[in-house]
Amino acid sequence: MIAHPAFRVEPWALHETELHLDILAQSESLFALSNGNIGLRGNLDEGEPHGLPGSYLNGFYELHAQPYSEAGYGFPESGQTLINVTNGKLIRLLVDDEPFDVRYGELRAHDRVLDFRAGTLSRRAEWTSPAGRTVRVTSVRLVSLTHRSIVAIAYDVEPLDGPVNVVVQSELVANEQLPEAHGDPRVAAALESPLVPEEWLCMGTAARSGAA
């Protein structure tokens, strides 16, 4: 539990009424979604800033050897580390060529609600770009409890002070930069760029790649 005035106590919901970057990592854990097969940390839609990016699949892990200076009975020969898979929840927004980033311009309002009944994470933000254009961004994210392999995101952009040119980009990012792991150096080595490309192709304006 975070004792912070930005969090409101409500029945069947976790409600954050303001965005505070100093507790971003903790709020990402609180706003995580999972169905036992897919797990998504509650990172912002645009990906940055973040405390710890995270997208996980059950049973998708890195297997690495466990060396010992002296072997002992019962010592495991290998270790398993759950890895951060390709991030497919990123949505980049450009407003008149200005990237939506809560660290720049003016964040006039920011609201997130984790609905425990619906199993959704809703977000509403009003942002004024450094160029002075204001938009309202609304998103709803869910991890399906019926079809365990499905993640869905609804993303809406509404201009508040006149017409603007808007670009919305959905991205797939593999091997995201993670904070340095302290303590066991073997775990840090296992988590460094665990995904490698297997195939890719381009046809016209469409591109596809695969990693393993």
Side-chain angles (χ1 to χ4, degrees), residues 82-100:
L82 192 67
I83 65 173
N84 182 25
V85 300
T86 302
N87 187 356
K89 63 181 186 286
L90 289 175
I91 299 180
R92 312 286 191 187
L93 171 64
L94 300 176
V95 179
D96 280 347
D97 293 330
E98 293 280 354
F100 174 40

Side-chain angles (χ1 to χ4, degrees), residues 34-210:
S34 177
N35 60 9
N37 183 54
I38 298 176
L40 303 178
R41 283 181 59 81
N43 306 113
L44 301 178
D45 297 307
E46 57 275 14
E48 295 178 353
H50 59 71
L52 177 67
S55 300
Y56 307 100
L57 291 177
N58 187 16
F60 196 91
Y61 55 86
E62 177 80 292
L63 186 67
H64 52 90
Q66 291 276 36
Y68 299 98
S69 57
E70 294 183 6
Y73 178 77
F75 284 16
E77 296 181 356
S78 62
Q80 299 175 356
T81 302
L82 192 67
I83 65 173
N84 182 25
V85 300
T86 302
N87 187 356
K89 63 181 186 286
L90 289 175
I91 299 180
R92 312 286 191 187
L93 171 64
L94 300 176
V95 179
D96 280 347
D97 293 330
E98 293 280 354
F100 174 40
D101 191 318
V102 297
R103 297 168 294 184
Y104 306 105
E106 178 187 359
L107 186 62
R108 299 170 56 181
H110 195 274
D111 190 272
R112 286 192 289 179
V113 178
L114 179 61
D115 189 323
F116 296 117
R117 282 195 174 116
T120 59
L121 174 62
S122 302
R123 179 193 185 198
R124 182 183 62 85
E126 292 185 8
W127 177 73
T128 301
S129 72
R133 307 312 301 269
T134 302
V135 295
R136 178 184 293 123
V137 179
T138 305
S139 68
V140 180
R141 181 189 301 172
L142 69 84
V143 173
S144 176
L145 299 178
T146 304
H147 303 282
R148 300 178 65 206
S149 61
I150 293 180
V151 173
I153 300 173
Y155 194 88
D156 296 319
V157 182
E158 179 185 356
L160 298 182
D161 57 359
V164 295
N165 293 317
V166 171
V167 176
V168 178
Q169 301 172 333
S170 177
E171 294 189 4
L172 294 173
V173 178
N175 294 324
E176 291 179 292
Q177 186 66 40
L178 300 175
E180 291 186 7
H182 299 287
D184 190 346
R186 296 168 298 180
V187 175
L191 293 178
E192 184 177 355
S193 299
L195 300 176
V196 295
E198 291 289 340
E199 64 174 1
W200 54 91
L201 60 89
C202 179
M203 299 178 62
T205 58
R208 185 182 69 183
S209 64

